[in-house]
Structures are given as C-alpha cells and as structure tokens.
Amino acid sequence: MEPIEINFMGDSAIIIRLSNTVNLEVHLKIQAICNYFESNPFKGMIECVPSVVTVTVYYNPIEVLKNIKASDKGNPFQVVKNIVLDVLHNIRYEKEELSRIVEMPVCYGGVFGPDLDFVARFNKLSIEEVIEIHCNYDNRVYMIGFAPGFPYLYGMSERIAAPRKETPSISVPQGSVGIAGSQTGIYPISTPGGWQVIGRTPIRLFRPEDEVPSLIRSGDIIRFKRIDEKEYYKIKKLEEENEKCV
C-alpha cells in the first residue's frame, strides 16, 4: 500500500494524497474521507474537495486557532494535520458504497456529435456499435473539475477510446458528450475543448441558481441513454422552462 502524503496548500488548505494510481479502491477511500468531514466538520473547516487521488480540505486559519486550547501549540496547518491524521487512523473504509445513479439522455451523432464518425473509424467499429458500447457501461464520477460541473467519468470501455483532437475546438456546445483517451465526459457549459464529441444531452449539469450548482457529484454513477432529436428538443424545452421558473 502506498504511503499517504499530507501537505499544505497555501495558508488555508491541506491536501491529502492517497495514491498515485487511479482506481476504484482509492476513489472509495476518498469518498469516505469527504463524507466523514462533511458530516463531522471541525471548527474552522470550509469545505472538502475530492479529486481522483487526493482530498483537499479548506479551512479558515483564524477560526482554527480560535478553537484550540491555550495549552496546545502549533500553527493552523499542524492543528488541521493532526485532525486529519486522527481521522485517517480511525475511519472505516467500505469496499463499496451505495452510489446515486443518474440517467443521462444523449442524442448521438449529426450536429450533436460531429466526431462520432471519427471515433467509429478510429476503433474500426460501426457508429451503432460505438453508441451501443457507450450506453452499456456504467460510468463513475471520480471528480468534478475543468469547468463548473464537468464530471470526469471512469468506466468506459477501451473499445471506444479515442485520442484528443490535435487542435481543440474554440467552443464546444453546452451538454456535449465527449471522449478523450479512455474517459468520457460531459461539457456543462459552452467552452473551448479538445475531446471528441459524440453526442449531446439536453440536461443542464451546471445550475448556478441552485444551492448545490452541480447536478452531478463525485461518487455518482452515470448511465447514458440514447434518445432521438425529437426527444432531445422536448427535454431541452422543459429544462429551459424550469430555469425560467427559478
């Protein structure tokens, strides 16, 4: 087992590196740590942010110092590090967790997925085979990053893996579903990007009007469902109407 590394990140955050390898076991440990701190925040804690192999805990150093005993010595980082070490020593890691399953409708190909043909040709598959494979695997969210609400998904079949574009697109439409290497992901907002776009979902992933702005969270399982263009616009209209009602 790799040794856990704990380091400071600036003067108000601590980063816990559990491994240098991305896998389900590490992911489940990260989820357990985040769940613990979210349910049992220490005085001065701001938030806990999971990544693929790390957990970053943000805190207010002044509040941390306010809440330690006068007899205790140490700077805010050392105080928080001791808390983290105690949690890591006592926390119980589950082999599996009950994950939230999110069904994600996707309209594949055409104007919605201009790179679907490339992915099929690159893997010597038909377009229908690429779509079927993409829909038949559960994809676990290991982290949210790059853009607000962008999920990094693991679990896609290597059979439809494809390289990033040599020249990134200036603007990838909101909701675009892409492939880069052996990963698949969803663009929550329109942004430049270099993933091979195979489809688009009408579901809004980034909802800044909500208390929790990201529809998808680390630990969720995404299941892609194929829809046609008519159903795409039907769902998109409902999403736009719901947005206006907020």
Side-chain angles (χ1 to χ4, degrees):
M1 183 177 178
E2 297 177 74
I4 295 176
E5 299 176 12
I6 301 176
N7 294 295
F8 64 85
M9 195 172 78
D11 61 358
S12 58
I14 190 167
I15 185 165
I16 311 160
R17 178 176 291 275
L18 279 78
S19 175
N20 291 314
T21 305
V22 180
N23 58 50
L24 181 58
E25 181 183 0
V26 172
H27 169 71
L28 293 175
K29 287 181 178 180
I30 287 172
Q31 289 300 114
I33 294 169
C34 286
N35 290 339
Y36 177 86
F37 278 118
E38 287 172 1
S39 300
N40 306 276
F42 56 85
K43 297 291 185 180
M45 177 180 146
I46 298 173
E47 66 175 335
C48 186
V49 180
S51 181
V52 289
V53 294
T54 66
V55 176
T56 304
V57 181
Y58 292 87
Y59 57 87
N60 183 323
I62 296 175
E63 291 300 315
V64 169
L65 289 179
K66 277 183 182 178
N67 289 284
I68 64 172
K69 296 178 182 178
S71 57
D72 290 342
K73 295 181 179 180
N75 56 45
F77 167 74
Q78 192 59 52
V79 172
V80 175
K81 182 178 180 180
N82 290 339
I83 293 172
V84 168
L85 287 171
D86 185 60
V87 170
L88 294 177
H89 179 73
N90 293 293
I91 196 170
R92 294 183 61 183
Y93 300 114
E94 300 296 333
K95 291 184 178 180
E96 188 55 272
E97 62 172 12
L98 186 62
S99 299
R100 187 178 67 148
I101 296 174
V102 180
E103 186 176 82
M104 192 63 56
V106 178
C107 186
Y108 290 92
V111 294
F112 300 112
D115 305 315
L116 178 59
D117 185 60
F118 169 82
V119 174
R121 285 187 284 105
F122 182 82
N123 289 288
K124 297 180 173 58
L125 298 168
S126 69
I127 286 175
E128 288 300 316
E129 286 175 319
V130 172
I131 295 171
E132 182 179 358
I133 293 169
H134 193 257
C135 290
N136 281 350
Y137 282 79
D138 285 347
N139 296 271
R140 188 180 292 266
V141 182
Y142 273 26
M143 66 171 282
I144 302 294
F146 166 60
F150 188 103
Y152 281 83
L153 308 176
Y154 288 78
M156 188 188 79
S157 171
E158 292 281 352
R159 293 176 62 199
I160 56 173
R164 293 170 182 263
K165 295 180 178 181
E166 292 184 5
T167 303
S169 301
I170 295 175
S171 180
V172 179
Q174 174 183 312
S176 293
V177 177
I179 290 175
S182 58
Q183 280 185 271
T184 186
I186 311 168
Y187 286 80
I189 58 175
S190 296
T191 178
W195 293 38
Q196 305 290 348
V197 176
I198 64 171
R200 194 183 305 169
T201 179
I203 301 297
R204 288 195 307 129
L205 272 64
F206 181 53
R207 302 166 183 251
E209 70 277 5
D210 291 351
E211 183 177 352
V212 180
S214 179
L215 176 66
I216 296 173
R217 302 188 294 266
S218 177
D220 287 348
I221 289 177
I222 308 300
R223 289 179 180 169
F224 293 107
K225 176 188 176 183
R226 185 181 190 177
I227 59 174
D228 59 22
E229 188 172 340
K230 182 178 179 180
E231 192 170 1
Y232 172 90
Y233 284 113
K234 180 181 178 181
I235 297 173
K236 184 173 178 62
K237 183 179 180 181
L238 290 173
E239 287 283 294
E240 292 172 345
E241 290 175 351
N242 290 335
E243 184 180 9
K244 291 177 182 178
C245 291
V246 176

